[in-house]
Amino acid sequence: MKDEILQFYTHGSDEYLDYIERPYPLVSERLKEALERCQKGILYKLAILTDLQQSKQTVYWFLAPETVSCLSSETEWHKNGAIKKLVLDSSKIGSYKVFQIAGTIEPYLVVDVDTAESALSLNPQGIQLTRLEFIR
């Protein structure tokens, strides 16, 4: 990733969530620190959220974790290519604690239990965790 800083213009937001999924995955400074404690080597790019009306800038980080091909053959699909039932193959995940799933339309960000607990200890805003099904 190049050294340029990303800048996004916002309007009238007093508070931002710790995780912004769309249009790009962005994490707050404190969530970035929690993720870094659990998974070294995740790529981040500085992103500034700028509200010109309030003369306010907030530091965020564009999140670019590794993409892992870890779907199980038990994963079920809708006709449009979206996942109906997500099942991961834990033998394909290796030592990753924070990663995205390869081969999906949806932007799945997966964290292990330790990472989830570390993030939840911050009482974050904007995070929804779902337990996933695995085969071994």
Side-chain angles (χ1 to χ4, degrees), residues 53-118:
Q53 292 174 343
Q54 296 185 20
S55 300
K56 178 180 171 184
Q57 291 186 320
T58 306
V59 172
Y60 266 78
W61 296 90
F62 173 77
L63 176 65
E66 290 288 329
T67 301
V68 178
S69 181
C70 58
L71 291 175
S72 160
S73 59
E74 294 181 20
T75 295
E76 297 176 12
W77 304 87
H78 291 285
K79 290 181 182 179
N80 68 356
I83 292 181
K84 181 190 291 187
K85 178 184 175 189
L86 178 63
V87 182
L88 301 182
D89 184 338
S90 61
S91 68
K92 297 178 181 179
I93 294 172
S95 62
Y96 290 106
K97 295 179 169 291
V98 179
F99 62 93
Q100 289 181 310
I101 301 173
T104 63
I105 295 172
E106 303 92 338
Y108 288 104
L109 177 65
V110 178
V111 299
D112 73 350
V113 172
D114 293 338
T115 305
E117 288 175 353
S118 177

Side-chain angles (χ1 to χ4, degrees), residues 15-29:
E15 295 281 329
Y16 296 110
L17 302 174
D18 287 295
Y19 179 66
I20 301 171
E21 183 177 45
R22 294 180 193 271
Y24 304 103
L26 299 174
V27 294
S28 66
E29 182 77 26

